Amino acid sequence: MGLTESEDTGIIPAPSSIVRAPSEITTVNSGLAKTVIPSKDSLAKVTYYKLDLDTILDGLIPDPLPESIGKDNAIHHLNIIIFGKPNTGKTTLSESLAQALARRYGQENVKALRSTRDLPALFENLDKLFKRFRKPPKAVVLFADDMTKALKKLSGTVAVKDSNGQLQKMRKVDYWLDKWYDIRGELFKRGMRQGLVIMVAALHRFYGGDIDLRADADLLLVRSTGTPGTFDANKVEKMLGPVVYYAMRQHEVDALRDRKELAWTAYVAKTGSGVFRAPRPLVSKKWIMRNVGAIETSQETAFEIVEPGGKSELREPEKKSAVEEKRAIQTRPQRGKWGRRFVMATGVLAILYLAWEYILPLLR
């Protein structure tokens, strides 16, 4: 599907290369100096006011999806990276992706898991996901939140069997990344033959991360550009192209005065690149993604959305004292059906005995 027309400029944006967007930027003779900011006309050409996630996904997901013939694996696979510093809306953007799939295939046909800094949890809960439903879902989303720290936690080795059945030591990070890249095979083992799987990795640092995550990305969504001259900013600029990069930077500056500008997201895919609006999902909608993994990591990112007076803000859950937490843990003992009947019978007998001893003599 082609890109739509901009409301402000009346210019029909043309798709650009996934490596670099067209640019009229000139640079100064210094490796550390910033490039000259493009003109407003150049920035307006890549800021799309009518573009949304549904349109971007139209260019990446075949319609209809491939169908399996017999026992072949016809699962369509997409790799998506969401880049941005902490608290820039990467988790919310992943939920927007899941809801875009729900609009496409129906919410009952979309299953999504999210883990924070716990890559193994995604695959350890796949079996539970498939056992809950009679037939495989049409679309599966696995979201690794804070993949940067999740990979750092995978230290040490694991014992795996080679083709000859011999035990071999393998680095944990390689073991779990192999499952990440071979997700079609993992789903195939669980009875899924066709449909769509989207792997979403949230990164707040490119440095030290797995290079295959960037090399194999079908779609890059950028929530913050980073400080110019740093490693991450240079990588983002190369992937987006200078014009898209500085258009996103301009929206970041505008967000200091208007929080609505936080909804802008830069993107690059094989179908093109640019900047589009990705507003927060509606508060009233039930989120599709199910949190898995360590409880403490899930609590770190748990926020409640409230809208006093039409304005939305983030509020951390109220912290309980140690005494309150202890009381919450101690559950009230539950009486069984026969226990309740015994108590009632005892009460009735006590009343009859008191009536026989004290009330009946008075009546005589």
Side-chain angles (χ1 to χ4, degrees):
M1 181 179 292
L3 298 177
T4 55
E5 186 177 355
S6 171
E7 292 179 345
D8 285 7
T9 62
I11 298 173
I12 299 177
S16 58
S17 169
I18 193 171
V19 179
R20 182 173 296 274
S23 172
E24 301 173 359
I25 295 177
T26 58
T27 58
V28 294
N29 296 325
S30 172
L32 298 178
K34 295 187 297 183
T35 55
V36 177
I37 297 179
S39 64
K40 291 184 178 180
D41 182 63
S42 298
L43 298 179
K45 291 179 181 179
V46 296
T47 297
Y48 307 141
Y49 288 86
K50 292 182 180 179
L51 191 64
D52 54 18
L53 275 173
D54 297 272
T55 308
I56 294 174
L57 292 176
D58 283 341
L60 300 173
I61 301 175
D63 186 20
L65 288 169
E67 294 185 3
S68 176
I69 302 175
K71 297 182 179 180
D72 63 313
N73 191 338
I75 301 173
H76 187 71
H77 180 197
L78 283 181
N79 279 320
I80 297 178
I81 291 179
I82 303 178
F83 175 81
K85 64 183 181 180
N87 300 319
T88 53
K90 298 187 295 296
T91 302
T92 306
L93 188 56
S94 69
E95 176 64 23
S96 297
L97 278 167
Q99 291 192 8
L101 294 177
R103 290 190 294 270
R104 186 178 296 251
Y105 303 117
Q107 184 167 336
E108 68 280 0
N109 297 318
V110 178
K111 309 304 171 188
L113 297 179
R114 166 183 172 265
S115 69
T116 302
R117 305 173 189 172
D118 192 353
L119 185 59
L122 288 177
F123 302 97
E124 291 168 353
N125 285 273
L126 274 182
D127 290 326
K128 297 179 182 178
L129 183 67
F130 278 83
K131 287 178 180 178
R132 292 174 59 196
F133 306 98
R134 295 181 179 178
K135 62 179 182 178
K138 195 164 187 176
V140 173
V141 181
L142 298 183
F143 174 46
D145 201 354
D146 202 347
M147 180 73 114
T148 308
K149 291 186 178 179
L151 295 178
K152 289 183 179 180
K153 289 174 61 177
L154 296 176
S155 58
T157 60
V158 293
V160 296
K161 290 184 179 180
D162 58 14
S163 57
N164 298 323
Q166 301 294 324
L167 290 178
Q168 300 286 341
K169 287 187 177 181
M170 186 177 185
R171 291 197 314 158
K172 284 184 179 180
V173 62
D174 295 331
Y175 175 79
W176 291 109
L177 280 177
D178 281 352
K179 289 185 176 293
W180 178 273
Y181 297 129
D182 188 34
I183 185 59
R184 293 175 74 245
E186 293 293 324
L187 296 177
F188 189 81
K189 294 176 186 177
R190 292 162 173 83
M192 189 172 175
R193 298 289 184 265
Q194 60 190 23
L196 172 69
V197 58
I198 297 183
M199 308 297 288
V200 185
L203 300 173
H204 67 269
R205 288 290 182 270
F206 275 142
Y207 184 76
D210 190 73
I211 191 172
D212 289 336
L213 287 175
R214 300 198 308 269
D216 296 337
D218 298 292
L219 174 64
L220 171 67
L221 301 172
V222 177
R223 297 292 295 182
S224 64
T225 58
T227 305
T230 59
F231 177 87
D232 287 336
N234 291 338
K235 289 295 181 184
V236 171
E237 183 177 353
K238 287 181 179 179
M239 296 174 77
L240 293 178
V243 175
V244 176
Y245 175 80
Y246 277 99
M248 183 63 187
R249 280 187 56 80
Q250 184 60 52
H251 287 296
E252 286 185 272
V253 173
D254 295 340
L256 298 176
R257 299 185 297 272
D258 184 2
R259 288 184 57 84
K260 293 181 180 179
E261 295 293 312
L262 293 174
W264 288 99
T265 302
Y267 85 98
V268 60
K270 295 177 181 178
T271 53
S273 60
V275 184
F276 71 102
R277 289 183 65 86
R280 296 181 63 90
L282 297 178
V283 179
S284 59
K285 282 194 174 183
K286 183 179 179 181
W287 279 35
I288 301 173
M289 284 198 168
R290 186 163 64 92
N291 291 326
V292 295
I295 298 177
E296 61 271 14
T297 55
S298 299
Q299 290 177 344
E300 288 178 2
T301 55
F303 291 93
E304 182 183 355
I305 306 174
V306 293
E307 292 189 337
K311 295 182 180 180
S312 62
E313 59 183 16
L314 294 179
R315 183 179 66 187
E316 293 187 6
E318 296 180 358
K319 295 183 178 180
K320 297 181 179 180
S321 64
V323 177
E324 291 174 337
E325 290 180 352
K326 186 176 181 181
R327 289 176 180 174
I329 295 174
Q330 295 176 349
T331 58
R332 182 179 297 177
Q334 299 291 330
R335 292 191 180 99
K337 179 176 65 175
W338 293 106
R340 290 194 297 270
R341 290 181 177 179
F342 176 78
V343 172
M344 293 175 62
T346 304
V348 171
L349 291 175
I351 294 173
L352 292 176
Y353 174 76
L354 293 175
W356 177 268
E357 287 289 332
Y358 300 103
I359 299 177
L360 188 58
L362 293 177
L363 295 177
R364 290 175 182 174

